[in-house]
Amino acid sequence: MHVKVINPNTSRDMTETIGACAREVAAHVTAVSPAMGPASIESHYDEALAVPGVLSELHGADAYVIACFGDPGLDAAREVADGPVLGLAEAAMHVATLVSRSFSVVTTLGRTVQRARDLADRYGCAAACRGVHACEIPVLDLDDEACDLVAEVAEAALREDRSEAIVLGCAGMGAYTKEIARRIDAPVIDGVQAAVTLAESLVRLGLTTSRKGEYAAPPPKPYAGLLAEFALR
Ligand SMILES: NC(=O)NC1=NC(=O)NC1=O
């Protein structure tokens, strides 16, 4: 079973971190980053510019994970991938509802908070998502020292929201998962590990994206300019 984990940003260190987290829960994982895209994703603009690169990587595996908490390009990926596709937010939020009645999201910048709330609503998890809290830390500053800050925000989130679990709102936080769970004595869900595990489960169930309707293959048409190189068709 081969799961391809696609880091939509082009920061190699993050791709390494993401791959290491994924390999803790799955045997055959390839962690990649597209040749083109933003160094990190912290805005709608970054997210839009990350999608063509994500779509160009959807080949050569049994299942795919889009390893960014905004789930960039998830719906488009499901129209063209040859196996199931999971996003971090969707996977982590659903896993959180399997171990708690309510969860809080701890994310990077305040400007991405509403996006996380929108995704909770889209995935049917709005009632369980008691709050989204930002650490106000840029994605590429999520180094070892940042773990303390993320843990503090997680502890405060549980208290303020009266929630029962924490969803980490960035692929770059995955290395903190066990340490934060130890400090706050509550389940902490890393989207990378949740998505990889669910991806493998779908393959084991013999399930992939339905082609009946919204996720049917896109209608054939020309794609002009640079997109012609990346359009998977
Ligand atoms: N909320 C976030 O900042 N998400 C992310 N930006 C990235 O570049 N990767 C993420 O997971």
Side-chain angles (χ1 to χ4, degrees):
M1 168 114 52
H2 175 204
V3 179
K4 189 175 189 180
V5 181
I6 304 163
N7 172 18
N9 75 43
T10 54
S11 294
R12 190 176 302 279
D13 288 355
M14 265 191 82
T15 305
E16 296 300 317
T17 302
I18 289 165
C21 290
R23 288 185 189 96
E24 284 181 19
V25 295
H28 185 184
V29 167
T30 308
V32 300
S33 176
M36 67 174 194
S40 66
I41 298 164
E42 299 172 311
S43 64
H44 295 292
Y45 184 82
D46 294 342
E47 199 167 297
L49 291 181
V51 172
V54 168
L55 297 178
S56 72
E57 289 292 346
L58 294 164
H59 52 84
D62 298 304
Y64 305 89
V65 168
I66 300 177
C68 172
F69 198 76
D71 296 354
L74 179 58
D75 289 319
R78 284 177 172 161
E79 291 179 342
V80 294
D82 56 357
V85 187
L86 276 296
L88 299 200
E90 185 174 33
M93 289 180 182
H94 284 305
V95 166
T97 63
L98 301 178
V99 294
S100 70
R101 291 280 287 147
S102 62
F103 64 87
S104 299
V105 176
V106 174
T107 191
T108 52
L109 299 179
R111 65 180 294 160
T112 67
V113 163
Q114 187 53 44
R115 174 82 171 129
R117 289 198 188 109
D118 292 347
L119 289 174
D121 191 41
R122 157 76 197 276
Y123 300 139
C125 297
C129 181
R130 288 268 175 85
V132 180
H133 302 255
C135 301
E136 286 308 351
I137 184 165
V139 171
L140 299 182
D141 289 354
L142 286 168
D143 53 20
D144 295 346
E145 288 67 54
C147 181
D148 289 339
L149 171 59
V150 177
E152 282 162 30
V153 174
E155 198 155 29
L158 281 186
R159 190 174 53 250
E160 291 164 23
D161 297 346
R162 302 175 66 79
S163 54
E164 305 149 30
I166 291 292
V167 165
L168 297 178
C170 181
M173 297 178 177
Y176 311 155
T177 308
K178 292 186 176 62
E179 174 58 17
I180 295 176
R182 185 187 64 77
R183 291 195 204 183
I184 67 174
D185 189 26
V188 176
I189 295 98
D190 163 36
V192 171
Q193 296 189 337
V196 168
T197 304
L198 291 179
E200 284 199 327
S201 301
L202 290 176
V203 174
R204 281 199 190 90
L205 289 168
L207 292 174
T208 190
T209 304
S210 171
R211 292 285 176 245
K212 298 276 182 230
E214 183 167 334
Y215 288 139
K221 66 193 57 141
Y223 294 89
L226 271 180
L227 287 181
E229 288 176 51
F230 291 94
L232 260 182
R233 322 232 340 328

